[in-house]
Amino acid sequence: MGAIPREGLCPPVVWSQAEWLVAEVDESDGTISEFSPEITLALNLDWDHPGYYESEAKLDVTFRALFERTQQTVLIPDSNARLESLVGGLGAQVLRFGERGDYIGHLQAAPAQSSTLVLSGLFAPQTITVPCASAFNASNALAALAAATTAGFTLCAEPLADFAGVMRRQDCLYHSAGLIALADYAHHPEELQALIVSLRKDYPGHQLVGLFQPHRYTRTRQYAKDFARELQRLDSGYVWPVYAASEKLLAEGTSASILSQLAPGSSITAWPQDNPDRAWAQLDVCSKQSPTVLVFIGAGDIYKVAREWKARLLESLLNAPEAFSLEAIQPFLTDGTYLKQAEPLSNKTTLRVGGAARWYAEPVCREDLQVLRSYAQSRNLPVFVLGRGSNILVTDEGFDGLVIRLSHCAWRQITRLEPDRMWVGAGVRLKEICGHASLWGLSGFEFMEGIPGAVGGAVRMNAGAMGGWFMDVVESVEWLTPQGELRISSPAELDVIYRSTRGLQGGVALGVVLRAKAQQTPAEVEQRTQTLSQKRKSSQPRESSAGCMFKNPENNFAGKLVDEAGLKGLQRGNAQVSAIHGNFIVNLGQAKAQDVLDLVKEVHTRVQAQTGIALEPEVQLLGKSWKDII
Ligand SMILES: Cc1cc2nc3c(=O)[nH]c(=O)nc-3n(C[C@H](O)[C@H](O)[C@H](O)COP(=O)(O)OP(=O)(O)OC[C@H]3O[C@@H](n4cnc5c(N)ncnc54)[C@H](O)[C@@H]3O)c2cc1C
């Protein structure tokens, strides 16, 4: 696919053995002629590559040929006269989407960050949310849903709920009450017009300021006048030098060609290369005077300029003296990112005790994760990364810092890498790995069945069971260092020991590549997984717990020592040493974190008194240090 998903972790292309292959067909270099799709979805048709197609007519012939090669269905918008003129008398059926098409979508509301579509026509009637900005993105979403329905898929409720959007398609970089900054890929006059018209509609009462980088000299030469006409729809703006895209300089196709076509006194000017700071300062002043939409437009590298702009704005927030505030950081975050104050944590841990996190976030993408971490660090606020909370004890007082959890679907991708490896996001549950491994006939992961954690926690804890160790099946870990650098490291580089990957301390695991021990039949893998699962079920308590409370001492077992000290069944408040497994402390229903802490202390003291062995907690304590307890 051409566009890059916002998640960053979700690859734009996944090659699998699925029945359908979804691909963006590229007309820019003529490779469009190689495709004979089952379903063709055409969103629009512009003479976008005059360097390749000498005339509009040649482009039309190319598209008509694509439609003729289409086997089943051609999908087009309900109001595109040019595409309409190319679909008469086709062998494939032609279906339309839009306000009046075969697939009908009525846009009910398009607030800054999401919109509501009411589906009807060939769709089963339902109302859905499109979780990204603008009528333009809503229309693209409608087209995608129409294609999926045509292909025979049944839409679930809220089919786009987990979609974090794609970059550079009215991609919202910043959104406060007075300033909205977007990045968009528009690079043809028609696209520029569509963009500006839709922004006027979506942001009434805002002044529109654009930074436009023309793309290719050939296109700029062809459309200089049209670009100038469309740019004048903005309230003000700058024209960047042309992004060459490997073309040789054409004197009549530069940004000056556009500027020379502007009306005298136009508020669109050349970007002041020699003094950009002055221009940035002007933009700053202008956006403070009245509500502003600032849009970075173009298909070249203007996106980098947008990112630098955002980084500068963030830098000034990081350097400001004020305390951590939701209002201050929210404008930098993607809409889907959840950020809340005083979020209870007991329901996010398997032990089900403890207080709240002062701040809590579920970021939808890596960028938001980094923004949140650096903001917290700039405020000296401790950050804790929570997985599925199956190895965590939260104190009753809670955690006076920021808890970050990678639970959005962006972190839950599993992709098979042929033949015997898989890419797995940090938020994927170990159980899901077992499920996929069985399906794909990949062995070596069976020991994970029944460990109730996710990948991030399993990496950090080097989770293990029945002789298998998580880091033994890891080929590489993608992670962020405490300083925010992205790294890909092998287990050998991460200082892996029993129940800890020490090199990851203070970092955040984003995902891993796992390698199977062997390839077998799905039935064989499934059978071994079930055997281990049964073994686990018969030897572990069913009540809420955090798994093994203590690490096994060298050449010994913590559970055995607790048992031999006669502590099974020992109770403090509503917490109890399990009668089934001495190393499990269970919550009988209403336990407080303090009950568990009292019990840990008691067990620790009595085992040490009896055996001389000081048990070391395996469970991570959040809110206090174990040193203060035992
Ligand atoms: C019933 C039960 C049975 C269990 N059986 C086993 C077992 O057989 N073997 C075993 O090893 N464990 C077992 N556990 C413990 C636990 O499931 C594992 O340690 C698991 O790997 C923890 O994963 P989690 O996602 O729940 O991490 P959490 O408990 O949420 O976090 C654990 C640690 O990992 C860190 N962490 C989480 N995500 C990330 C990330 N993305 N990047 C960096 N650090 C991160 C946290 O900061 C914390 O330090 C069991 C627990 C229970 C409740």
Side-chain angles (χ1 to χ4, degrees):
M1 308 291 280
I4 301 170
R6 271 202 79 98
E7 290 98 341
L9 287 174
C10 173
V13 169
V14 178
W15 172 249
S16 72
Q17 288 165 354
E19 202 184 338
W20 289 89
L21 172 72
V22 183
E24 179 184 342
V25 175
D26 186 359
E27 95 268 23
S28 72
D29 59 358
T31 47
I32 185 172
S33 304
E34 307 287 323
F35 288 85
S36 299
E38 197 66 30
I39 297 171
T40 297
L41 167 59
L43 294 171
N44 58 20
L45 181 53
D46 294 320
W47 185 26
D48 212 6
H49 297 277
Y52 189 86
Y53 299 94
E54 288 154 26
S55 65
E56 292 203 57
K58 289 214 162 137
L59 180 69
D60 285 353
V61 167
T62 305
F63 268 76
R64 171 72 195 186
L66 175 74
F67 295 155
E68 283 174 359
R69 289 194 306 276
T70 301
Q71 311 291 310
Q72 191 207 104
T73 307
V74 174
L75 277 163
I76 59 170
D78 63 359
S79 53
N80 187 310
R82 183 144 179 218
L83 283 169
E84 200 63 60
S85 73
L86 297 176
V87 295
L90 288 177
Q93 68 170 338
V94 179
L95 295 175
R96 292 155 189 85
F97 58 89
E99 291 271 322
R100 291 173 304 278
D102 303 289
Y103 289 105
I104 298 172
H106 285 298
L107 190 59
Q108 245 185 8
Q113 294 281 296
S114 66
S115 45
T116 305
L117 271 178
V118 182
L119 304 182
S120 60
L122 293 181
F123 287 121
Q126 66 165 315
T127 300
I128 64 156
T129 308
V130 182
C132 40
S134 90
F136 158 83
N137 277 319
S139 166
N140 281 352
L142 180 68
L145 296 176
T149 308
T150 304
F153 293 95
T154 306
L155 302 185
C156 58
E158 293 295 3
L160 299 169
D162 287 340
F163 179 56
V166 287
M167 290 170 143
R168 306 175 72 173
R169 303 296 189 278
Q170 295 197 27
D171 180 7
C172 189
L173 306 172
Y174 182 87
H175 55 100
S176 68
L179 176 62
I180 289 145
L182 306 166
D184 196 90
Y185 204 64
H187 54 283
H188 181 278
E190 296 279 328
E191 293 164 357
L192 212 53
Q193 184 190 105
L195 169 69
I196 299 170
V197 167
S198 108
L199 293 179
R200 283 267 179 241
K201 211 163 129 199
D202 290 346
Y203 302 99
H206 285 63
Q207 58 169 335
L208 286 188
V209 181
L211 281 79
F212 175 57
Q213 181 188 46
H215 184 254
R216 293 181 184 268
Y217 297 113
T218 47
R219 188 181 292 129
T220 310
R221 179 181 60 184
Q222 179 76 26
Y223 293 119
K225 202 169 165 189
D226 306 289
F227 279 130
R229 185 189 63 236
E230 298 308 332
L231 284 171
Q232 287 176 112
R233 293 173 184 270
L234 295 166
D235 294 304
S236 63
Y238 293 100
V239 181
W240 225 265
V242 171
Y243 182 82
S246 74
E247 285 186 348
K248 288 210 175 73
L249 175 70
L250 286 175
E252 61 282 25
T254 66
S255 53
S257 319
I258 298 177
L259 291 161
S260 68
Q261 299 289 337
L262 292 164
S266 166
S267 54
I268 310 292
T269 56
W271 176 255
Q273 302 273 30
D274 49 340
N275 193 356
D277 287 347
R278 184 168 49 87
W280 290 124
Q282 264 169 10
L283 276 173
D284 198 32
V285 171
C286 149
S287 66
K288 286 195 173 104
Q289 281 163 355
S290 65
T292 300
V293 174
L294 171 62
V295 55
F296 297 84
I297 314 165
D301 57 4
I302 188 86
Y303 194 67
K304 289 187 192 155
V305 180
R307 305 213 70 79
E308 280 165 24
W309 172 85
K310 183 174 176 178
R312 255 200 308 273
L313 206 61
L314 181 63
E315 194 61 31
S316 61
L317 174 67
L318 300 189
N319 292 329
E322 290 82 17
F324 192 103
S325 122
L326 201 126
E327 290 70 32
I329 195 64
Q330 199 90 60
F332 290 91
L333 301 172
T334 311
D335 190 40
T337 288
Y338 179 81
L339 175 62
K340 223 180 139 241
Q341 194 166 8
E343 175 86 4
L345 292 177
S346 60
N347 58 1
K348 296 175 185 65
T349 67
T350 51
L351 191 53
R352 306 209 150 258
V353 298
R358 184 158 148 219
W359 296 101
Y360 174 84
E362 291 174 6
V364 298
C365 57
R366 189 190 300 161
E367 188 182 336
D368 284 4
L369 167 63
Q370 278 172 308
V371 165
L372 284 161
R373 276 177 97 215
S374 45
Y375 185 46
Q377 280 164 358
S378 75
R379 300 297 178 268
N380 290 323
L381 199 67
V383 176
F384 185 84
V385 187
L386 183 66
R388 295 201 54 93
S390 63
N391 206 41
I392 301 288
L393 167 54
V394 183
T395 58
D396 291 320
E397 296 76 21
F399 179 61
D400 190 19
L402 169 68
V403 168
I404 295 181
R405 195 156 76 133
L406 305 184
S407 51
H408 187 268
C409 77
W411 312 100
R412 299 202 315 261
Q413 310 278 337
I414 302 190
T415 307
R416 182 162 185 191
L417 309 170
E418 302 287 349
D420 60 350
R421 298 178 308 146
M422 52 175 125
W423 155 261
V424 190
V428 171
R429 295 168 62 187
L430 302 193
K431 193 178 178 49
E432 293 172 70
I433 296 178
C434 293
H436 280 79
S438 288
L439 200 68
W440 295 332
L442 300 178
S443 80
F445 309 113
E446 298 87 340
F447 72 92
M448 296 179 199
E449 175 70 33
I451 303 180
V455 165
V459 174
R460 178 69 188 88
M461 299 307 300
N462 186 18
M466 325 271 178
W469 297 98
F470 193 79
M471 291 304 280
D472 279 356
V473 289
V474 168
E475 188 175 282
S476 60
V477 182
E478 189 170 333
W479 64 292
L480 288 178
T481 66
Q483 294 73 34
E485 288 159 36
L486 184 66
R487 291 257 174 89
I488 296 179
S489 306
S490 68
E493 293 166 311
L494 286 173
D495 190 11
V496 179
I497 57 167
Y498 166 66
R499 289 291 190 267
S500 181
T501 296
R502 291 192 290 203
L504 201 71
Q505 180 96 36
V508 186
L510 306 175
V512 292
V513 174
L514 301 179
R515 185 186 282 281
K517 297 265 184 224
Q519 284 180 271
Q520 294 179 324
T521 65
E524 284 171 319
V525 178
E526 177 61 20
Q527 199 202 357
R528 217 173 14 263
T529 306
Q530 286 312 321
T531 307
L532 294 184
S533 168
Q534 287 310 321
K535 200 168 158 193
R536 178 181 285 274
K537 278 182 187 150
S538 61
S539 61
Q540 285 184 0
R542 287 179 174 263
E543 296 93 340
S544 303
S545 77
C548 288
M549 184 51 75
F550 300 101
K551 292 181 184 172
N552 286 327
E554 232 178 310
N555 302 323
N556 214 327
F557 295 96
K560 181 168 156 279
L561 295 174
V562 176
D563 193 5
E564 286 169 1
L567 301 175
K568 271 185 168 175
L570 183 71
Q571 200 170 329
R572 287 287 172 273
N574 231 236
Q576 186 186 51
V577 176
S578 165
I580 297 176
H581 192 311
N583 202 10
F584 277 61
I585 290 184
V586 297
N587 177 354
L588 296 176
Q590 305 298 323
K592 295 269 167 221
Q594 193 56 49
D595 299 339
V596 181
L597 290 174
D598 290 346
L599 205 49
V600 169
K601 189 174 167 142
E602 176 95 26
V603 169
H604 183 268
T605 309
R606 286 171 62 176
V607 168
Q608 190 167 24
Q610 183 150 331
T611 65
I613 297 173
L615 291 174
E616 188 191 336
E618 174 179 326
V619 169
Q620 313 275 297
L621 181 59
L622 189 56
K624 275 187 187 151
S625 162
W626 278 120
K627 285 197 195 99
D628 303 329
I629 309 293
I630 50 178

